[in-house]
Amino acid sequence: MQTVRAVDLAGVYAHPGPALAGLERRGVAHRIVSGLYCAVPREHVGRWWLPTIEGTAAAVATALYGDRVPVLTGLTAARMRQALPRAIGVAYVAVPTQRRPLRMVDRDGEIRFVKREVAELDAVLMATDLGRALATSPEQTVLDLARADPRAANLDAQQAIDALWPGCDHTVLQEIAGRQRMRATLERLRTTR
């Protein structure tokens, strides 16, 4: 996803941190979190450019865990599907191990890692501004948001569920709910629709 950790370049540069900082000054690299840089798209080289928070989260998690391992989830997956029109300052990404949140250095935002069995998630490849990444399907996203907010207190989550629900395949919802022990969540969703 056009992103590299400074420590991964130790075999290429004697001092990778200063080398990447030099590339950033030239406008060809952009620091997104401490120790991680992404390539600036050619059309933006030498100009101010900021990757999306969703692309940043996917790129950082991919640099840390490997390609096709992390999965954008929750409100971040909803944003990828335009189910939440406003930007939020937190990106959620499912990963196989527990990890502390990372603060972004290029904006007031953070990436929150959610420990999940990522292979069990219903996810599809989606395009971000930094490359393709996995994001939960509309059905998985709806179930995850409803499970995380059973009392419907989070207005962003409710807005995303309302936007995604009409396009959900109810057979897929049933299958995911059964496989991931979310039957009660699905029944609660059905009674409120």
Side-chain angles (χ1 to χ4, degrees):
M1 293 196 64
Q2 306 174 48
T3 303
V4 65
R5 297 183 310 165
V7 298
D8 292 336
L9 296 178
V12 178
Y13 296 106
H15 304 286
L20 285 167
L23 292 173
E24 183 179 28
R25 282 190 299 278
R26 290 186 11 222
V28 296
H30 178 82
R31 189 166 70 119
I32 47 182
V33 298
S34 182
L36 277 102
Y37 292 77
C38 68
V40 173
R42 288 182 190 185
E43 64 271 17
H44 296 288
V45 169
R47 299 184 319 179
W48 185 84
W49 172 78
L50 188 67
T52 63
I53 194 168
E54 297 83 15
T56 297
V60 167
T62 298
L64 296 173
Y65 289 94
D67 195 32
R68 308 295 189 262
V69 175
V71 180
L72 297 174
T73 188
L75 290 174
T76 305
R79 286 261 313 142
M80 289 289 294
R81 300 180 183 288
Q82 289 80 44
L84 186 63
R86 68 177 195 84
I88 56 175
V90 178
Y92 299 91
V93 60
V95 293
T97 60
Q98 190 64 37
R99 185 177 197 93
R100 290 181 178 205
L102 287 175
R103 296 288 311 160
M104 296 179 197
V105 297
D106 60 358
R107 71 191 90 196
D108 184 23
E110 80 176 2
I111 302 166
R112 292 188 187 162
F113 299 94
V114 181
K115 183 181 176 188
R116 299 281 299 269
E117 292 292 333
V118 292
E120 298 294 318
L121 296 175
D122 190 45
V124 295
L125 275 174
M126 295 188 75
T128 74
D129 53 337
L130 292 176
R132 293 171 55 88
L134 289 171
T136 55
S137 68
E139 295 83 5
Q140 180 78 59
T141 303
V142 164
L143 289 168
D144 288 346
L145 289 171
R147 177 189 249 179
D149 187 27
R151 290 183 174 74
N154 183 325
L155 295 178
D156 288 337
Q158 287 310 304
Q159 182 178 10
I161 290 169
D162 291 344
L164 292 169
W165 182 261
C168 285
D169 181 323
H170 291 272
T171 304
V172 174
L173 278 167
Q174 189 70 42
E175 187 272 323
I176 294 170
R179 190 181 68 217
Q180 296 180 14
R181 298 184 184 133
M182 289 200 256
R183 286 188 180 105
T185 301
L186 180 56
E187 287 311 309
R188 190 174 62 253
L189 274 168
R190 285 180 172 156
T191 60
T192 60
R193 304 282 154 224

